[in-house]
Amino acid sequence: MKNENSIELVNVKKKFKIYADKGNSMKDKMLFWKRNQYEDHWVLDDISFAIKKGEAVGLIGRNGCGKSTTLKLINKIMYPTDGKVKVNGRVSSLLELGAGFHPDMTGRENIYTNASIFGMTKKEIEEKIDDIIAFSELDEYIDNPVRTYSSGMYMRLGFSVAINVRADILLIDEILAVGDMSFQKKCFKRLKEIKNAGTTIVIVSHALGQIEQICDRCIWIDYGKIRRIGKPMEVHAEYLKELEKRSQQRMQALNGEPGTGNDSNTFCGREVIRSGSGQLFFTGVELFDRDGNRESVFQTGEYMRAEYTFTAAKEIHKAEFAVRIYGDDDTHYYGSTSVIEKSCTEEIQGKSKFIIEFEKLELLEGDFMLDVDALDENGEVLDRIHDTIRFCIQNTTGRTGICNMSSTWKLE
Amino acid sequence: MDKLKELYAYRQMLISLVKKDLRGRYKASVLGFFWTFINPLLQLLVYTVVFSVVMRAGIEKFYIFVFVALVPWIFFSSALTGGANIIVMNQDMIQKIYFPRIVLPISYVTSCFVNMLFSFIVIFAVLFVTGYGFNFTACLFLPLIMIIEYIFALGLALITSACTVYLRDLEHILGIVSMAWMYMSPVVYPLSFIPKELQSVFQLNPMAPIITAYRDILYYKQIPQMQTLLLATVTGIVFVCVGCFVFERLQRGFVEEL
């Protein structure tokens, strides 16, 4: 093992036995031996990488791709079927919070138990205990039995212990969601401090933003193999594109050609919330980039064009179109209509495409969806669909928040 | 060697778990920690009533005869049956955190052991109060035999705790085994009750020399036979070595099996 490395994985393979129906008791084992037939499943198939001392690395991938297994191998919770896992230094993990807590014992007593499970000696714990209590913000509750704690307090205590363990390597699995916003912020700040102090950090997360903020590198694991290693921004961009591609493939596989849905409560083969008389009927939608390629992942400031196809049953003298952008938490980000935009929408018949071009997407980051409406001149709804298509925006500007503001900065 | 070093690094975990077990056991009850003493006292009371009033065995001070053997036996059987469960019980922790797994059975057996030590306070109190008295020189051998029993119990607990992960029935099987084992061991009767031709068979039971040694020291107030002690020591060491080996082998698959 090279000296500058703190973790090395060499040709690591891990096999799980997938039992059809597993019995652990003797009766099951003897009577239903057929049930104990299993299939081998290679969770990790020949993975090699090295992590340098003091480096922060993110592991990403879809559920079941093997990223948590990788973390468990590094942590020595599991052992590889083949290959070598070399770890240099003391490992602490934020995998399970509040391990070994006894409900009838006080917070303070439980700190001792919990910290000792991480391998701390009594002396080390005594040095740290004030920090731990301060970090947990439990103050006067610390000498109450843990069973009187709210679940938030419980998690905060567990987190405070885990994050105060002095370790060379810190492993984190998807748990930066403890407590309220201010506590989360504090955790994040502490994580950065830990990193700056030279601790190696490995994070498994679906929150790509968090990885980008902390990690120097990102490893994308796909079907038990390493798909890509690189700068978080670059790996994430590719990862998101792949995700979107797969979800579209899945949808196409389910529904044949896209954009042929003709049922009143479906759109593009998906179930949607839809209303209206149907005299004007949207049949499909696609998003394009400036070069006319179909796209669903955009970067802040990029061009986006949405094209809605529709059929009009009879002549519609004048219609009004409306489009709204929602976030995946149903926040309304943007909305406008053809009236506001002074677009000519007379004499619909014969036309079958409604196009909106966004010269610059000024949203910073997230998953978004488009709603569309078509109204007649009296304001009666012809067709209204919620969540017609989704797209994702990546923020490579480094700016934070929800919308991009152009600004000039200078000193005078 | 590395394993031992690691175990030493995790000594605080051992201490914490033992403390947690001892203090947590009676924490919610009204009498709390006093139960540690009340429990053996009440047991003594039951055995006194049963064996000196109902079933007269014709052995002088029978309650003391039984009690000095029963307390070590309870330690052994609880280490055996409870120890079997310890890995399965702590599966959440095992699946999420790394620590030397061997800490769990060790801490459990240790907490049973400490519990036995508390019971011995009661034994000595009874010996003193009833005026039965004790032989000081013989009592010097008491720690030795306790350590031997501890090692033997630990060896077995290591094996059973690891095996139970793979075969959950073991937990129930061991309940019966421990009961049968008790009646096969000279706990409620002296070894001399056993027919001559079966004596050699009964001597194969590793608990027989251990229980006999306890009784020699406390009931007969004599120094236990060296042969008995040696036999028990050798069995204890063999079992703990086998136990460590088996445990180390089986622990690699714990997370996948649980």
Side-chain angles (χ1 to χ4, degrees), chain A residues 244 270 287 296 328 368-370 387-392:
Chain A
E244 203 58 43
R270 263 184 328 128
L287 299 175
S296 56
D328 56 359
F368 301 96
M369 48 196 171
L370 274 177
D387 188 11
T388 56
I389 193 164
R390 293 182 180 216
F391 61 99
C392 162

Side-chain angles (χ1 to χ4, degrees), chain A residues 38-257:
Chain A
Y38 55 81
E39 276 176 43
D40 283 344
H41 173 58
W42 290 94
V43 191
L44 293 179
D45 189 8
D46 203 3
I47 280 198
S48 304
F49 62 81
I51 296 174
K52 289 195 184 65
K53 276 180 188 152
E55 202 180 12
V57 172
L59 293 177
I60 58 165
R62 294 172 318 133
N63 290 330
C65 73
K67 54 191 189 313
S68 291
T69 307
T70 311
L71 214 58
K72 284 184 173 173
L73 288 173
I74 296 173
N75 205 355
K76 284 191 283 179
I77 290 173
M78 281 187 198
Y79 296 83
T81 315
D82 195 22
K84 279 211 169 73
V85 179
K86 296 178 207 163
V87 177
N88 193 359
R90 180 146 120 193
V91 181
S92 166
S93 64
L94 291 180
L95 298 177
E96 166 93 343
L97 298 177
F101 275 14
H102 192 293
D104 285 324
M105 289 178 138
T106 69
R108 193 185 296 274
E109 288 168 322
N110 275 309
I111 289 176
Y112 277 92
T113 316
N114 191 216
S116 72
I117 293 171
F118 289 109
M120 285 170 90
T121 60
K122 192 166 187 189
K123 214 178 108 199
E124 284 175 306
I125 299 172
E126 263 154 16
E127 278 168 20
K128 284 271 183 180
I129 193 149
D130 291 332
D131 289 350
I132 294 173
I133 295 171
F135 194 87
S136 70
E137 299 171 10
L138 284 168
D139 307 318
E140 73 269 22
Y141 295 107
I142 198 70
D143 290 310
N144 292 356
V146 165
R147 76 184 131 82
T148 62
Y149 287 14
S150 70
S151 60
M153 288 159 81
Y154 188 95
M155 295 302 267
R156 250 159 43 203
L157 185 62
F159 195 89
S160 306
V161 177
I163 209 157
N164 277 299
V165 174
R166 201 176 290 135
D168 306 309
I169 300 164
L170 182 64
L171 307 177
I172 303 169
D173 191 353
E174 204 80 64
I175 44 149
L176 290 173
V178 177
D180 51 23
M181 286 299 272
S182 79
F183 190 74
Q184 276 187 33
K185 257 189 193 160
K186 207 166 85 173
C187 294
F188 215 69
K189 209 179 121 210
R190 170 55 65 91
L191 217 54
K192 283 184 175 164
E193 285 169 20
I194 289 172
K195 193 198 156 193
N196 292 337
T199 306
T200 310
I201 299 176
V202 183
I203 303 178
V204 163
S205 183
H206 289 289
L208 302 181
Q210 285 179 346
I211 292 186
E212 278 165 21
Q213 281 188 53
I214 285 195
C215 297
D216 312 308
R217 274 200 301 160
C218 186
I219 299 174
W220 171 13
I221 299 174
D222 199 23
Y223 293 112
K225 286 185 192 310
I226 292 183
R227 181 73 177 264
R228 206 175 154 189
I229 303 183
K231 285 221 170 72
M233 294 271 193
E234 293 163 11
V235 177
H236 292 174
E238 209 173 303
Y239 172 63
L240 287 173
K241 272 190 188 167
E242 173 81 15
L243 275 192
E244 203 58 43
K245 206 172 90 192
R246 281 200 193 147
S247 81
Q248 274 177 5
Q249 275 170 359
R250 218 177 16 250
M251 254 153 63
Q252 281 181 25
L254 277 172
N255 310 297
E257 279 298 294

